[in-house]
Every structure is written in structure tokens, then in C-alpha cells.
Amino acid sequence: MKVMVQFAAVFNLDKCLGCHACSIACKNLWTNREGTEYMWWNNVETKPGPGYPNQWEDQDKWHGGWILTKDGKLKLAIGGRIARLLELFSNPYLPTIDDYYEPFTYTYSDLVKQDDGKQPVAKPISLISKKPIEIDKGPNWNDDLAGGTETILQDPNVKKLQDKIKTDFENAFMMYLPRICNHCLNPSCMAACPAGAIYKRVEDGIVLTDQQKCRGWRFCIAACPYKKVYYNWSTGKAEKCILCYPRIENGQPPACFQQCVGRIRYIGPVFYDADRVLWAVSAGDPKEIIDRHLEIILDPYDPDVVKNAKENGIDEDFIKTAQRTPVYKMMKVWRIALPLHPEYRTLPMVWYIPPLSPIVENMKISDEQIFPLVDQMRIPLEYLASLFTAGDVDRVKNVLKKLLALRIYQRYIRLHKNPPGWIFKETSLTEKDFEEMYKVLAIAKIEDRFVIPTAHKEKAIKMFEEEIAPEYGQGHRGMEIAAKKPRDLRLRA
């Protein structure tokens, strides 16, 4: 067992407002430069819908993430080194600007220069070519359009469930899905980079791009199944979410976390067993990956884990914050959070609490009747399972039961009644669990949601002295292979 630290996050989709405050906070801070106009390191998608970039979940088209070969070995879906070499100048799995949108502005000067007596009009022009363009899409162009057949049928998850999901207006449903880089335990973008420019920080697991090493090959963009790496057309470099690591090192949450109006975001360090990452992603059945993922996430209160963490140079404040953050409990103890598309085998460390939705066919029902009717909610369980559990409907159903049970429990408490025993039996949760869940999900203060240790000066000096970029194609194991090579890390993002 080798204990390592990873910052993990949980987004509670049951509370997301779709206000995009998180996106704007990130945009103003990090992607307000030339070449980054179309980059949304944080974006909020309306689901069902094609997402951003267009149909990013369709891995039959993009070949992102990892796959298992017939002999059980892990391989990048975009192919090995030779295959990528042949596609060096014509990559079929690389999104084009049309899959995003061509960034544009308007000729505002025309509004004051019009002198022929006609109504002045500001015309759209491309920020890339500086030529007039016709606007057919933009950022969040399908916002709140999940009920429309034009957008809902473009969702790759819906295509798999067309017999189950109807597009009639009365059967329409929608939810919001905020997305950032998942800072995976087994990032495919890192393994695909020929220059070794993408690396995973040993001290906190944040995945970054070394701009000095990046040569703009863009294999990282093709290999990332979440399409959260972008190409800066101005600088010729790849850029991505850096989890606001300068803020993290100062004990502050990322900007998108800080500005979240719905208070849906939680972040904190967790421990994981680095020696078992390959085992976790090598499950034959994709549905088993979540259980293996949870198994390698370690209990921060376990004396053996704490001892091993100290032996590996993990500071005491990281140990204390790992014990205090609610992220671990939401993921592994209460098991109400789920990863986004675990079948991509990258082990994402941004997890989601799926949203509840109305039971529309039965309005007058008792508490005891709610649990059997979970599968009749407006948002089909098969759709949520396609997003979060590789198709495991029962796992999604168990999470929704726990969220419903929490509401039932609190209703009885507010009415000064004893909660019924069946809610504990159905969910395998205790009264203490329900009390803690209520505090975390409903009334948690900022210091309870964001549990972040500050960086140490001596650690920063050590980071400059140690090589932490992986060897090409090695994935997570490359972090250890290249652990002793010196290099200059003056520019990290």
C-alpha cells in the first residue's frame, strides 16, 4: 500500500440552479485572453442535450479514455504510439472549432459611424479570422432546451435509451450538469502527451500542463473523454482547468467553488492507494469500476493509513483535513455520490450527487409508498445510470432512496415524531448518518464545504527540485518512474 493525496470534489446536482456563476467566475479569472475565448474550463450543461463540445460523450466518435484489450491490458482508446504517429497531422478524433463555437464579437463602431440615415447595426465578426460570420451556436446555446426534440435527441445517453425516454412535452425532463476537469487518478490526457507536458502533482493530485514543454500536438485533447483540455489557437499550447491551485495553496477554494450560488460544491483531500490504481481500472465489467474505485480510496482514520501517509511524507495538516472533509463520507461512507462515466476508466475525482425529480404519476402517496416508486421519477433511472454508473440502475436507485429517506427523516424530526424504523432498514444508514447528511447537504457553512490545507514553503521548494511529469504513455505509474529526474517547473499552468 502506497498512500497518496488527491483533492476530490462532490457536486450536489439536487441543488444546482443552472445560473452559470461558476462559469463566469472561471472565465473572468483564467480564460479572458486571446486564444481562450471559446474555452470554458467550467461549464454548466443542460441535460439531456449534446453538451460542450458537441456530443462529447460519444466515445464511438471521439475514442476518449481507456479501453481493455482482449488480454486484459489497459490501452488508450485513441490507439498506441504508432497509430498516433500516423495521425500526427490528421487526427480523426480531435474536435474542431465547429464542435465548440467560433468565438465572435460585434462591430460596435458601426453603431456610431452609420451616416446614411439607416438603422445602425452591429454585425458579428470572428475573433479568429476577423471576418464576418453567421452565428449558429455559442456558449450554452442549448441552455434550458432539454425538452426540445432538436437537442434531446443529440444526447448520446438518450440514443441508448430511445425506447425508454420519450420526447413528448408532458414527459420532458431536464437537469443541470456543471463540469470541470476531473483531475483523474488515471488521466488519459497525461498518458497521451508525447512531450510529457501534462503531469499530476504528487503533493495533491492536481493535473497541470507545463507550458514550456507543450508542443501543441493536441493528443491530450483527443484522449480526454470529458474534452476538458483545450487548444489555444493564439499560443499553440494546450490549456485546461488547474483547480485554481494558487488559491488551493493559500487555503482558498477554486473560484467556481467560491462563487457557486447554490452551494452545491464540496472539496477536500482524500487518501488513495497508488499501488492499486491499475487494478481498479482493469475491471472487466465497467459496473465494477466504482466499487474498485471506492476500495482504493482509504479511510483517513485508519491507523495503518495514517502511519503509511506519514512515512510517505504527507503532512499532518493534510491528514487532519482529510479526516474533516465531508467528501470522503459522501463518496464512501454514505455512498450518495457517483463518478461521471466511470466506464472511461480514468477514475475521475469529481463526483456527483444525482438529482431527485417528481414522481408524476402518483400524487397522493404515503412515505412507505415512495421507495417502490423511485423508478417512476420524471428523470429515468436509466438515464442517470448512463451518466454516473455505467448503466447500473440499482446503484442509482439506492442513492435516490437515501436522499428521499433524508427528507422523510427531517420531516418527522420537524413534527417532533420518531422517524419510522423502515427508513434505516431500507438505506442501511443510522440516525447519526442522517443528522450529519442534513448538516452537510442543507446547512453546511463555507468552512465545512471547503476543507483545504495551505501549502508549505518547504514543499514548494521540493517541487522545483523533483521531477513529477510522467514518462510518455505510462499514465499514473509514470509519476513514480520519473520521480527522481530534475527539471525546471517555473511555469506550471
Side-chain angles (χ1 to χ4, degrees):
M1 179 174 66
K2 181 176 181 178
V3 179
M4 295 186 70
V5 177
Q6 170 72 47
F7 269 104
V10 172
F11 292 0
N12 185 0
L13 300 186
D14 209 33
K15 297 169 66 178
C16 183
L17 307 175
C19 65
H20 302 281
C22 50
S23 300
I24 300 303
C26 178
K27 192 70 176 174
N28 288 337
L29 186 60
W30 296 111
T31 59
N32 57 359
R33 299 161 279 112
E34 184 181 56
T36 65
E37 296 90 349
Y38 79 104
M39 295 184 192
W40 293 87
W41 292 358
N42 181 112
N43 71 296
V44 183
E45 300 173 1
T46 299
K47 306 296 287 184
Y52 185 80
N54 189 46
Q55 297 183 320
W56 62 270
E57 295 165 285
D58 187 358
Q59 301 310 326
D60 292 335
K61 175 181 180 182
W62 301 119
H63 292 228
W66 302 85
I67 58 173
L68 277 183
T69 59
K70 293 182 179 180
D71 55 358
K73 294 183 179 180
L74 206 62
K75 176 184 177 182
L76 287 172
I78 61 172
R81 298 188 186 186
I82 297 177
R84 277 174 277 163
L85 181 63
L86 296 176
E87 298 163 354
L88 192 61
F89 300 105
S90 180
N91 191 333
Y93 310 129
L94 193 65
T96 66
I97 194 66
D98 292 332
D99 294 305
Y100 301 94
Y101 69 95
E102 188 164 355
F104 56 87
T105 186
Y106 293 92
T107 55
Y108 294 106
S109 59
D110 291 349
L111 297 178
V112 296
K113 290 181 179 180
Q114 197 82 14
D115 56 1
D116 56 4
K118 296 181 180 180
Q119 176 68 37
V121 177
K123 299 178 182 179
I125 60 172
S126 169
L127 285 171
I128 298 177
S129 65
K130 311 300 181 183
K131 297 179 180 180
I133 60 171
E134 293 292 332
I135 300 174
D136 59 353
K137 68 170 82 66
N140 303 313
W141 65 278
N142 63 333
D143 202 17
D144 298 330
L145 293 179
T149 55
E150 182 178 350
T151 57
I152 189 175
L153 295 179
Q154 295 182 43
D155 189 324
N157 301 289
V158 172
K159 291 180 181 179
K160 304 175 185 177
L161 309 168
Q162 287 191 13
D163 294 336
K164 176 70 177 180
I165 297 177
K166 299 179 181 178
T167 57
D168 299 332
F169 178 77
E170 62 270 18
N171 293 316
F173 65 93
M174 69 174 237
M175 55 179 276
Y176 296 114
L177 181 68
R179 297 201 302 120
I180 63 173
C181 171
N182 291 285
H183 297 277
C184 308
L185 293 183
N186 187 43
S188 53
C189 62
M190 184 174 76
C193 179
I198 296 184
Y199 61 99
K200 188 174 181 66
R201 300 209 307 186
V202 173
E203 66 272 20
D204 53 21
I206 297 176
V207 179
L208 299 176
T209 304
D210 187 334
Q211 297 285 280
Q212 290 180 330
K213 275 195 162 188
C214 179
R215 295 297 178 263
W217 295 118
R218 288 172 276 185
F219 286 117
C220 54
I221 301 174
C224 175
Y226 305 99
K227 293 298 173 279
K228 275 299 171 183
V229 187
Y230 298 85
Y231 179 70
N232 188 315
W233 55 266
S234 178
T235 64
K237 305 287 187 177
E239 297 187 20
K240 61 179 290 297
C241 161
I242 61 174
L243 204 62
C244 289
Y245 74 85
R247 294 174 57 91
I248 289 282
E249 291 173 357
N250 198 36
Q252 296 177 302
C256 60
F257 287 69
Q258 182 78 55
Q259 297 299 324
C260 178
V261 175
R263 300 180 180 181
I264 75 167
R265 303 188 179 212
Y266 305 79
I267 188 171
V270 298
F271 296 146
Y272 71 98
D273 186 356
D275 289 337
R276 304 186 71 194
V277 170
L278 182 60
W279 168 81
V281 299
S282 299
D285 186 352
K287 295 180 182 179
E288 299 177 4
I289 295 177
I290 298 180
D291 288 326
R292 294 194 180 193
H293 194 169
L294 289 170
E295 189 169 337
I296 68 171
I297 295 176
L298 305 174
D299 183 357
Y301 289 98
D302 187 327
D304 292 334
V305 172
V306 173
K307 178 183 177 182
N308 194 299
K310 291 180 178 179
E311 291 175 352
N312 289 335
I314 298 176
D315 296 312
E316 185 69 27
D317 51 356
F318 268 90
I319 296 174
K320 291 181 179 178
T321 49
Q323 294 172 344
R324 193 162 63 87
T325 179
V327 170
Y328 171 80
K329 287 189 174 181
M330 287 190 282
M331 294 169 66
K332 190 165 182 177
V333 179
W334 305 327
R335 304 208 174 195
I336 57 175
L338 301 168
L340 182 62
H341 289 297
E343 68 273 17
Y344 297 163
R345 301 180 186 271
T346 61
L347 301 186
M349 291 308 290
V350 176
W351 286 38
Y352 295 84
I353 299 176
L356 286 170
S357 58
I359 301 175
V360 295
E361 297 182 5
N362 299 272
M363 300 304 293
K364 296 181 180 180
I365 54 179
S366 63
D367 291 341
E368 292 84 351
Q369 293 174 305
I370 287 181
F371 277 18
L373 296 176
V374 167
D375 55 358
Q376 298 182 28
M377 288 184 168
R378 181 176 287 272
I379 302 179
L381 295 185
E382 291 83 356
Y383 182 79
L384 295 175
S386 180
L387 279 173
F388 302 118
T389 63
D392 190 345
V393 175
D394 290 336
R395 189 183 291 270
V396 172
K397 185 183 293 187
N398 289 335
V399 173
L400 297 182
K401 281 183 177 181
K402 292 176 182 179
L403 298 179
L404 279 172
L406 175 61
R407 286 158 172 76
I408 295 171
Y409 175 86
Q410 283 299 317
R411 186 187 309 137
Y412 276 91
I413 295 299
R414 292 294 179 268
L415 294 175
H416 303 286
K417 297 181 180 180
N418 292 324
W422 58 266
I423 66 171
F424 305 108
K425 182 179 179 181
E426 288 280 350
T427 61
S428 300
L429 296 174
T430 65
E431 189 169 347
K432 181 180 178 182
D433 289 330
F434 281 120
E435 291 291 342
E436 290 186 7
M437 285 173 59
Y438 170 69
K439 292 178 181 178
V440 168
L441 299 180
I443 59 174
K445 298 181 179 179
I446 187 171
E447 61 270 17
D448 300 319
R449 291 183 287 119
F450 308 140
V451 186
I452 304 169
T454 57
H456 289 243
K457 180 179 179 181
E458 64 275 13
K459 288 288 183 180
I461 295 174
K462 190 177 180 180
M463 284 189 294
F464 281 87
E465 297 174 347
E466 290 186 352
E467 164 68 54
I468 52 179
E471 291 296 326
Y472 172 55
Q474 293 293 328
H476 183 278
R477 298 295 295 176
M479 294 168 59
E480 298 180 19
I481 295 174
K484 298 181 180 180
K485 297 180 181 179
R487 72 169 184 148
D488 189 0
L489 297 180
R490 287 173 295 177
L491 190 58
R492 291 173 135 329

